[in-house]
Amino acid sequence: MVSFDSVQHYLLLAKVAKRIRDDQVMRLLKMILKATGKKGVPQGGVISPLLSNLYLNEVDKMLEKASETTRYQRYTAVQYARFADDLVILVDFHPRHDWLVKAVVKRLREELGKLRVAINEEKSRIVDLRTGEASASWASSFAACGVCRACGDRSIRPS
């Protein structure tokens, strides 16, 4: 979904410090991050998924709010699934929800901008799940959208 070579260490450490009050753990984390350079997280490292999940917590909150806001009885127009830096967002196909696609993408970009990371445009797709057709343009109209790192047959994801 995002390019984690641009993760700002100070932002990540501040997020971790909200949850962890152990100076030794924080010192170890600082050493791990320092080994990667001035920014970014170690790709493929065992701690990377945990750090990614902490870093993107506000993105989850935004998407949970979108899901609740679009709820109608037992149905919702927006659903998502994320693990580490991979994300899939689904928007209901009904024509009355076409505006949601642009709104969700706009809000996603805003949240990621606050974290100083961006969507990896080369690895991101918007797919109409009714037809399986991918769109390279984030501004396209479609019935269902998802955002992901590695696109499968009939899914969408920004990376």
Side-chain angles (χ1 to χ4, degrees), residues 10-11 14 29 35-36 39 47 66 71 81 84-85 88 108 115 123 129 135 139-140 142 146 152 156:
Y10 73 95
L11 289 173
L29 179 56
T36 66
K39 58 184 179 178
I47 197 167
R71 181 169 304 283
D85 61 344
V88 175
L108 179 61
L115 298 171
K123 296 180 180 178
L129 296 179
S135 168
S140 298
F142 50 80
I156 348 157

Side-chain angles (χ1 to χ4, degrees), residues 91-120:
V91 176
D92 183 54
F93 69 90
H94 196 281
R96 73 175 173 254
H97 296 138
D98 285 347
W99 68 273
L100 274 175
V101 174
K102 291 178 184 175
V104 168
V105 170
K106 179 180 183 238
R107 285 289 296 126
L108 179 61
R109 288 185 187 281
E110 289 171 0
E111 288 302 316
L112 293 175
K114 292 176 190 175
L115 298 171
R116 299 190 181 181
V117 293
I119 294 172
N120 185 331

Side-chain angles (χ1 to χ4, degrees), residues 3-5 36 40-45 48 52 85 149:
S3 176
F4 272 89
D5 55 351
T36 66
V41 295
Q43 294 297 304
S48 296
S52 297
D85 61 344
R149 175 166 280 227

Side-chain angles (χ1 to χ4, degrees), residues 43-55:
Q43 294 297 304
V46 295
I47 197 167
S48 296
L50 173 65
L51 296 177
S52 297
N53 283 334
L54 287 170
Y55 201 70

Side-chain angles (χ1 to χ4, degrees), residues 10-90:
Y10 73 95
L11 289 173
L12 178 58
L13 290 168
K15 290 176 181 300
V16 173
K18 287 181 182 178
R19 297 175 180 262
I20 303 212
R21 306 257 189 268
D22 187 321
D23 290 339
Q24 291 179 336
V25 170
M26 292 302 294
R27 184 173 168 270
L28 178 61
L29 179 56
K30 288 176 186 176
M31 288 172 40
I32 291 170
L33 292 174
K34 188 176 181 180
T36 66
K38 292 187 177 187
K39 58 184 179 178
V41 295
Q43 294 297 304
V46 295
I47 197 167
S48 296
L50 173 65
L51 296 177
S52 297
N53 283 334
L54 287 170
Y55 201 70
L56 294 174
N57 196 42
E58 281 77 20
V59 172
D60 290 340
K61 288 178 183 177
M62 180 271 297
L63 291 169
E64 288 167 11
K65 183 177 179 183
S67 182
E68 281 304 310
T69 302
T70 62
R71 181 169 304 283
Y72 176 73
Q73 295 177 357
R74 64 180 217 210
Y75 300 101
T76 182
V78 177
Q79 288 290 325
Y80 81 101
R82 184 180 65 76
F83 176 74
D85 61 344
D86 291 326
L87 172 68
V88 175
I89 301 170
L90 300 172

